[in-house]
Amino acid sequence: MDTPPYLPGHGLLAGRTAVVTAAAGAGIGGATARRFLEEGARVVIGDAHARRLKETAHALADAFGPDRVTHLACDVTDEEQVAALFAHAENAHGGLDIVVNNAGLGGTAELTEMTDDQWTRILDVTLNGTFRCTRAALRSLKAAGTGGVLVNNASVVGWRAQRGQAHYAAAKAGVMALTRCAAVEAADYGVRVNAVAPSLAMHPHLAKVTSAELLAELTAKEAFGRYAEPWEVANVIVFLASGYSSYMTGEVVPVSSQHA
């Protein structure tokens, strides 16, 4: 099946301020930042890769205007950097409305060969990093008292077993559980928390860390016979960030065409 046409924006996020983590480059985070801008939002992007972050921010500013795009390097394993990112959003735009926790780290290792360092590194970026950013976001949104939305990036491997992915699957299952618990607490002050769970979205980093054989195997499992484009995942994130999902919280939405 061919990739469908790219959809234009419809102003779904007009006037809102969004923070997107791991937004450098051409992955889901970068695609989400672009889609948010196309929907009328102001965007603050963070990433641990300072050079690529700066390049991405400049490209987006050229396309949408420098007043709508700001950036700050942020490693989500560092609490001080996380706090600085959210303080930057508040200082630059007077507050925030939407947070997309996209930062995550993958890898492949059989359990019998997996080291403590491999396990801990994946969990610290993917699960603990989402926790740190969720905590910072909810503190800010609770204090503001004006509602808001969080969208976390999980994965179908949080539900489905995949060889060599025990650390990543455990982290993403944790993101799902964190999403549900955060949603129950945040409902008290009008904040919604949901997650997306993509199956296979192709971007340059994934191609670098995944073998061609594994990518072919994963693609074969998709009903459409192709991987998702990052912007197709970003479209669902836009939906969850917008008023069209106003009665949804604590949900994990698959972005997948995998066979049942």
Side-chain angles (χ1 to χ4, degrees):
M1 179 179 177
D2 293 335
T3 304
Y6 193 88
L7 299 174
H10 292 82
L12 297 179
L13 306 177
R16 305 179 77 183
T17 297
V19 173
V20 184
T21 66
I28 292 171
T32 298
R34 179 171 288 274
R35 290 301 285 157
F36 276 20
L37 288 161
E38 291 167 346
E39 294 293 348
R42 297 176 295 270
V43 175
V44 178
I45 59 175
D47 200 288
H49 301 277
R51 179 186 57 80
R52 289 196 296 124
L53 175 65
K54 186 176 181 179
E55 291 171 353
T56 300
H58 286 174
L60 293 174
D62 287 344
F64 298 98
D67 59 323
R68 293 181 57 201
V69 183
T70 59
H71 69 283
L72 188 71
C74 178
D75 180 344
V76 298
T77 68
D78 186 317
E79 171 59 23
E80 290 186 1
Q81 293 188 39
V82 169
L85 178 66
F86 285 89
H88 174 75
E90 293 185 9
N91 293 335
H93 301 293
L96 59 136
D97 305 290
I98 303 164
V99 175
V100 178
N101 288 316
N102 175 67
L105 182 65
T108 301
E110 295 280 315
L111 268 172
T112 54
E113 305 300 324
M114 189 180 295
T115 66
D116 282 11
D117 285 346
Q118 286 176 303
W119 174 272
T120 300
R121 177 63 176 161
I122 297 296
L123 268 289
D124 198 23
V125 174
T126 307
L127 177 55
N128 297 346
T130 301
F131 156 69
R132 293 183 189 99
C133 292
T134 297
R135 179 176 59 188
L138 292 183
R139 285 172 173 170
S140 177
L141 293 170
K142 184 177 182 180
T146 54
V149 182
L150 274 67
V151 184
N152 297 327
N153 192 358
S155 168
V156 294
V157 299
W159 291 311
R160 305 167 184 170
Q162 187 172 310
R163 191 182 189 98
Q165 296 293 302
H167 45 4
Y168 186 69
K172 290 300 190 180
V175 169
M176 293 176 178
L178 172 63
T179 297
R180 290 187 287 266
C181 292
V184 171
E185 296 181 16
D188 293 346
Y189 40 95
V191 174
R192 299 188 296 111
V193 187
N194 293 293
V196 293
S199 54
L200 182 63
M202 182 53 64
H203 52 85
H205 180 68
L206 179 62
K208 288 180 181 178
V209 300
T210 308
S211 69
E213 292 78 13
L214 179 57
L215 288 176
E217 177 186 339
L218 295 174
T219 302
K221 294 180 179 179
E222 300 291 329
F224 293 143
R226 67 173 179 87
Y227 48 76
E229 297 293 337
W231 60 262
E232 292 181 289
V233 180
N235 284 345
V236 182
I237 295 174
V238 167
F239 163 71
L240 290 174
S242 77
Y244 281 116
S245 61
S246 59
Y247 196 66
M248 293 177 64
T249 197
E251 298 294 339
V252 181
V253 180
V255 188
S256 169
S257 71
Q258 285 192 7
H259 297 291

